[in-house]
Amino acid sequence: MNGLLFIYVYFIAGLQADLLSKTLLDPYKITDEESRSLKEENSEVRGGFEDQSGCITKECSIGHECRLDDFGKPFCACAESCPNDDPNAFICTNQNISLPSECELHRIRCMCKKRMPQCADQSFSHIHLDYYGPCRQVQECSEEDLSQFPKRLKEWFEDVADFLETDGRLTYRQAKKTSAAIWKFCDLDLSKDRILSHREMRPLITSLKGFESCIKPFLHQCDDDSDDEITLEEWTTCLGIDSDNVEDLCGQLSADEDTAQETK
C-alpha cells in the first residue's frame, strides 16, 4: 500500500471511529457532545417560557435542535446552524455536492422537506450521504481492479483494526484472535444473524467509495443469490478466507464485547 493511500486509510479509519459509529447504529443520532451543546443552547428562555425541563431532556436528531412552542412545549426543528469547524468532517452527497458535515446534510434536508424559504433547491429534500470525504472524480472499476480488490480490502481491514487497537477502541483480543476481515463482518452485522443487510453494508460503502470504486461491484459479486444480502459464507468465499469455525469466532467476538462493556 503506497504512502498516500495509507494516509488516506488512516484518515478514514478515524472517521469510522468518530463518524461511522453513529451511522452504523442510527444515521440520525447526534453525538453526546452535540447533544450537550444543543441542551446548553436551548436551556435559555425561548418563546417567553423559562425552560426548566423541556429542552434540557428533549433529544433531537442530527441536523435538528430543540425549541419551545407558544405553550412552552419542546419540539425538534431544523437546526439554524451546524458546528462545521472540523475540516475532516466533509461528506459527498448523492447529488455530488460536498458539504462540511453530516449535520449540514440533515439540516438542509430538513428545511427542504418542510419547504422552508431557506431551502435552495427542493430536490435537496431527497439528498443523502454518498460517501465520506469531499466529492472527487472516482475512476471506473476495471476488471483487473476488481480481481485485485479482495486483497486490498483485507489489507484495509487490517489497517483499520490496527489503528483502532492502537487507539484503544478495539482490544488486542478482538483484533487479533481472527482475521480482520471476519472481525469487520461481525462488527457490521448489528443484528448478529450472520447476514449483512443493505443497511448494514452501507457504512462500509460510504467509507470506501470515495477512493475505491470497486466496493459496490465487489459486494454485488459476493451476493451469489442476488438477494441484496451477504451471508457469512458468501463473505468468506468472496474474500478467499477459510470458513472453518468462523461462526463460532463471531460469537466469541460478540461475547468479548459484552464482557468489555460490563467491566467499564
Side-chain angles (χ1 to χ4, degrees):
M1 182 177 296
N2 61 48
L4 181 60
L5 180 56
F6 179 79
I7 291 173
Y8 195 82
V9 165
Y10 190 88
F11 159 69
I12 289 295
L15 282 182
Q16 269 210 324
D18 297 329
L19 297 175
L20 284 187
S21 57
K22 65 183 176 185
T23 308
L24 275 166
L25 300 175
D26 184 348
Y28 302 101
K29 184 177 181 181
I30 60 176
T31 64
D32 290 339
E33 182 178 354
E34 290 169 336
S35 178
R36 285 194 298 271
S37 176
L38 286 177
K39 288 175 183 177
E40 290 172 1
E41 177 184 349
N42 289 296
S43 63
E44 303 171 355
V45 176
R46 295 198 175 192
F49 291 89
E50 184 176 355
D51 181 24
Q52 297 181 351
S53 61
C55 282
I56 296 295
T57 58
K58 181 71 172 177
E59 296 286 345
C60 292
S61 60
I62 185 171
H64 297 70
E65 63 184 7
C66 178
R67 296 179 189 170
L68 299 177
D69 63 17
D70 292 339
F71 301 97
K73 184 177 180 180
F75 68 98
C76 292
C78 305
E80 293 182 3
S81 63
C82 288
N84 298 325
D85 54 356
D86 183 357
N88 293 329
F90 266 86
I91 63 166
C92 183
T93 73
N94 60 314
Q95 296 187 9
N96 202 39
I97 298 173
S98 295
L99 292 175
S101 68
E102 279 190 88
C103 175
E104 191 66 29
L105 181 151
H106 291 291
R107 187 181 79 88
I108 291 172
R109 188 167 65 188
C110 175
M111 292 189 298
C112 292
K113 281 188 173 182
K114 294 180 181 295
R115 297 184 178 276
M116 296 171 64
Q118 295 92 329
C119 175
D121 188 326
Q122 197 55 46
S123 68
F124 292 165
S125 60
H126 302 290
I127 201 169
H128 62 76
L129 171 67
D130 194 26
Y131 57 84
Y132 288 104
C135 297
R136 60 181 61 81
Q137 183 67 40
V138 181
Q139 67 179 21
E140 293 292 325
C141 177
S142 67
E143 289 294 329
E144 182 179 1
D145 285 338
L146 185 58
S147 66
Q148 297 172 352
F149 184 73
K151 181 176 182 293
R152 296 200 304 274
L153 186 60
K154 285 188 287 187
E155 290 176 350
W156 184 79
F157 288 148
E158 290 169 2
D159 287 336
V160 171
D162 287 343
F163 172 81
L164 294 179
E165 190 269 323
T166 301
D167 202 42
R169 285 178 266 189
L170 185 69
T171 68
Y172 180 85
R173 179 177 173 81
Q174 290 171 322
K176 303 300 182 184
K177 74 184 301 181
T178 187
S179 79
I182 299 302
W183 160 75
K184 191 57 189 174
F185 180 96
C186 302
D187 181 57
L188 292 170
D189 181 23
L190 297 179
S191 60
K192 305 305 177 188
D193 59 359
R194 309 300 189 267
I195 298 173
L196 295 184
S197 65
H198 184 270
R199 177 180 174 82
E200 289 172 325
M201 286 185 277
R202 183 160 178 74
L204 180 62
I205 296 171
T206 55
S207 61
L208 286 176
K209 185 179 176 181
F211 66 99
E212 274 289 5
S213 59
C214 289
I215 180 61
K216 292 189 75 172
F218 169 77
L219 293 174
H220 179 74
Q221 180 177 277
C222 291
D223 184 15
D224 285 339
D225 53 7
S226 301
D227 62 352
D228 292 326
E229 295 179 333
I230 295 180
T231 65
L232 185 55
E233 182 179 358
E234 288 174 329
W235 179 265
T236 54
T237 299
C238 209
L239 287 169
I241 299 171
D242 184 0
S243 60
D244 291 347
N245 300 319
V246 163
E247 186 166 343
D248 291 339
L249 288 172
C250 272
Q252 291 170 24
L253 286 170
S254 180
D256 288 346
E257 291 175 1
D258 293 340
T259 301
Q261 289 295 326
E262 291 173 0
T263 57
K264 285 184 178 180

